[in-house]
Amino acid sequence: MDNGGIRMNTPRGRWVLFVTVLGSGMAFLDGTVVNVALPKLGEDLGASMSGLQWTVNAYTLTLAGLILLGGSLGDRFGRRKVFVVGVAWFALASALCGLAPNIETLILARGLQGVGGALLTPGSLAIIQASFVRGDRPRAVGAWSGLGGVAGAIGPLLGGWLVETAGWRWVFLINVPIAVLVIAAGVRHVPESRDEAATGRFDVLGAVLAAVALAGITYGLIEHGAPLALGAAAAGLALGVAFVSLEIRRSRGGPVSPLVPVRVFASREFTAVNVVTLVMYAAMGVVFFLLVVELQVAVGFSPLAAGSSMLPVMLLMLLLSARAGELGKRIGPRLPMTAGILTCAAALVWMSRIGPGASYVVDVLLPVTLFGLGLSAAVAPLTATVLATAEERFAGVASGVNNAVARTGSLLAVAAIPPLVGLTGEAYTSATAFTSGFRTAMLVSAGMLACAALLTFVTIRTNAMMEPEATNPCDPCVPPLNPAGEKHRRV
């Protein structure tokens, strides 16, 4: 221990990293493992393309809508406690998914899974920020990003193997034994931490407004031809405006603590990095949703072979993300993030060649490898910068905001882009129709990544990871929220 913190190279430090990576990795894995099962799942349950979109988005919707509340609950009641509750909830919802008799029940259970994910995901990163000594945090976040990225990337491989050998239901049931291991290790080895200065009642109305706003917008995008779609989207936008207004008003003081304290955005770089996150993860969501389906529907890959196509991403994230975190600490996040995001954009342009008769090496392996290199360079510096530019007492809120932004980007892109490029109805049963939409979607996503890279280069100017005083670089007119420099209490 050093100044009340844990060193990363100690046994306890390794246990903390193991628990947080395995717990959050379970949620990340679920975000990708399901995608490879979609064709079989859709055939078995008689689902349409919109049913497949809802299978993905019901989870992302509740995750994105409630993740801010999850971060606030962790800051208030204890990050380890809320993390463990989230893992248990996630496991129970996963069991319900695995037993679902129809697509409607599955979509409902996926929504419940997202609630568990909203409790555990921000807690994992906030535990790292609160537990490790400051000097070890960039490396720990890099390892968390890399190993978490491995979980997300190994998802299609594991999902393909499970679909072929045990059936698509085991894509969900596999979470139960993982959760048991996480809970047992977390209770024993992870220190408790919380924000001792937190006061006031919870912003339940804010959480409801955020979740319902996202639900309305998502419904409008997916069911764009339905009579209620336009009204749902308009209502969602109106509720989104009401949410922002409510948080601004509650941040001025009162008996109810805001879900998102406005002053957490006092750092211009915190705001900029979250905008980059929104655009970047929107593009990534489209790739992970469509690629493994395209490989099965159009190229003729088996579920296992389609899932195996993401192995280069897994290996590169494992090998390079911690180093990317260290590099970002030395030279600043601007160049690694810009170069990494541009590399991802180039990879998606290359992936747009995939279709019937595609070469595995030239059209799949090489662009996926390039995509993995880009993600390895960008994700760890991005995540570490988000935490470094927020005040330490708001570790849970900052993590929750960034996770909510990432999931919201993916949610809206997966809802909007498939129908915009013609992937509707039974398109996933036709190689020609799906390939046409897939290629357009990859080019659109590449354009989004190019915009994210430009925004990174223009807005990220300082290296907050190297400057303790930059932890909360507020405007001169805004006093710091924690002038006494309180630390998290560990139990």
Side-chain angles (χ1 to χ4, degrees):
M1 307 279 278
D2 180 14
N3 295 327
I6 299 172
R7 302 295 311 195
M8 186 174 170
N9 59 356
T10 62
R12 196 175 192 192
R14 287 188 284 270
W15 271 113
V16 170
L17 195 60
F18 171 79
V19 169
T20 54
V21 166
L22 190 60
S24 60
M26 182 175 63
F28 293 159
L29 184 149
D30 202 77
T32 57
V33 70
V34 175
N35 294 345
V36 75
L38 290 175
K40 294 289 187 182
L41 180 157
E43 179 183 348
D44 189 24
L45 299 181
S48 65
M49 188 70 194
S50 66
L52 301 188
Q53 285 176 276
W54 276 117
T55 300
V56 173
N57 277 347
Y59 172 78
T60 312
L61 174 61
T62 51
L63 176 62
L66 299 175
I67 202 167
L68 294 172
L69 182 61
S72 296
L73 288 171
D75 285 342
R76 180 74 64 88
F77 293 117
R79 297 178 180 109
R80 182 187 67 185
K81 181 184 297 183
V82 173
F83 174 81
V84 168
V85 170
V87 172
W89 184 304
F90 191 91
L92 292 174
S94 297
L96 180 59
C97 289
L99 300 174
N102 51 54
I103 191 66
E104 292 80 12
T105 303
L106 177 60
I107 291 170
L108 174 62
R110 287 283 285 163
L112 293 175
Q113 260 193 320
V115 176
L119 296 175
L120 73 91
T121 303
S124 64
L125 196 52
I127 286 170
I128 289 176
Q129 186 74 356
S131 298
F132 287 104
V133 298
R134 184 178 183 86
D136 283 358
R137 288 175 195 164
R139 185 176 167 216
V141 170
W144 179 88
S145 299
L147 294 171
V150 167
I154 203 174
L157 173 62
L158 177 62
W161 179 75
L162 288 172
V163 170
E164 288 193 16
T165 58
W168 64 265
R169 295 181 185 277
W170 279 95
V171 166
F172 301 103
L173 296 175
I174 191 67
N175 290 326
V176 177
I178 297 175
V180 171
L181 177 59
V182 172
I183 292 170
V187 170
R188 182 176 179 83
H189 297 288
V190 175
E192 185 62 283
S193 65
R194 58 175 58 87
D195 177 13
E196 296 296 337
T199 59
R201 299 197 304 269
F202 279 109
D203 187 6
V204 177
L205 177 59
V208 171
L209 284 176
V212 177
L214 284 175
I217 295 170
T218 303
Y219 181 85
L221 292 173
I222 293 179
E223 309 290 348
H224 64 282
L228 296 178
L230 183 59
L237 290 172
L239 290 173
V241 173
F243 168 74
V244 174
S245 176
L246 178 69
E247 297 308 295
I248 292 174
R249 187 166 63 253
R250 287 185 169 168
S251 293
R252 294 171 182 159
V256 180
S257 299
L259 193 63
V260 184
V262 173
R263 286 182 183 175
V264 77
F265 292 96
S267 165
R268 294 183 180 90
E269 288 202 348
F270 179 83
T271 303
V273 171
N274 276 289
V275 174
V276 171
T277 299
L278 179 74
V279 181
M280 179 178 170
Y281 277 78
M284 288 170 56
V286 174
V287 175
F288 284 111
F289 177 57
L290 294 181
L291 177 59
V292 291
V293 179
E294 167 73 2
L295 291 176
Q296 293 176 74
V297 171
V299 188
F301 282 20
S302 67
L304 180 59
S308 300
S309 68
M310 300 305 293
L311 274 175
V313 176
M314 175 190 72
L315 295 175
L316 289 168
M317 292 287 285
L318 177 63
L319 293 173
L320 302 178
S321 285
R323 292 179 174 85
E326 288 291 338
L327 178 64
K329 179 180 177 181
R330 289 200 306 271
I331 69 173
R334 181 189 185 197
L335 292 181
M337 284 176 58
T338 301
I341 296 170
L342 282 176
T343 300
C344 289
L348 297 196
V349 173
W350 197 342
M351 284 184 200
S352 67
R353 293 164 42 97
I354 297 174
S359 163
Y360 170 71
V361 173
V362 175
D363 299 320
V364 180
L365 177 62
L366 293 180
V368 167
T369 300
L370 189 65
F371 187 67
L373 286 171
L375 286 184
S376 300
V379 170
L382 182 151
T383 306
T385 300
V386 164
L387 293 178
T389 52
E391 192 176 347
E392 185 174 346
R393 63 171 288 202
F394 290 122
V397 172
S399 173
V401 167
N402 190 245
N403 273 284
V405 167
R407 308 310 164 205
T408 299
S410 177
L411 170 71
L412 297 180
V414 170
I417 290 181
L420 286 176
V421 299
L423 295 178
T424 58
E426 306 298 319
Y428 73 96
T429 64
S430 168
T432 302
F434 200 89
T435 297
S436 176
F438 170 81
R439 288 175 170 170
T440 305
M442 291 302 100
L443 295 177
V444 170
S445 299
M448 290 193 292
L449 287 173
C451 292
L454 177 62
L455 183 62
T456 299
F457 188 79
V458 170
T459 60
I460 308 300
R461 294 291 184 177
T462 61
N463 184 4
M465 290 182 282
M466 283 293 290
E467 303 170 20
E469 67 273 16
T471 303
N472 185 33
C474 301
D475 295 335
C477 61
V478 181
L481 289 179
N482 191 20
E486 295 98 338
K487 299 294 182 183
H488 297 289
R489 179 170 69 89
R490 293 177 179 83
V491 179

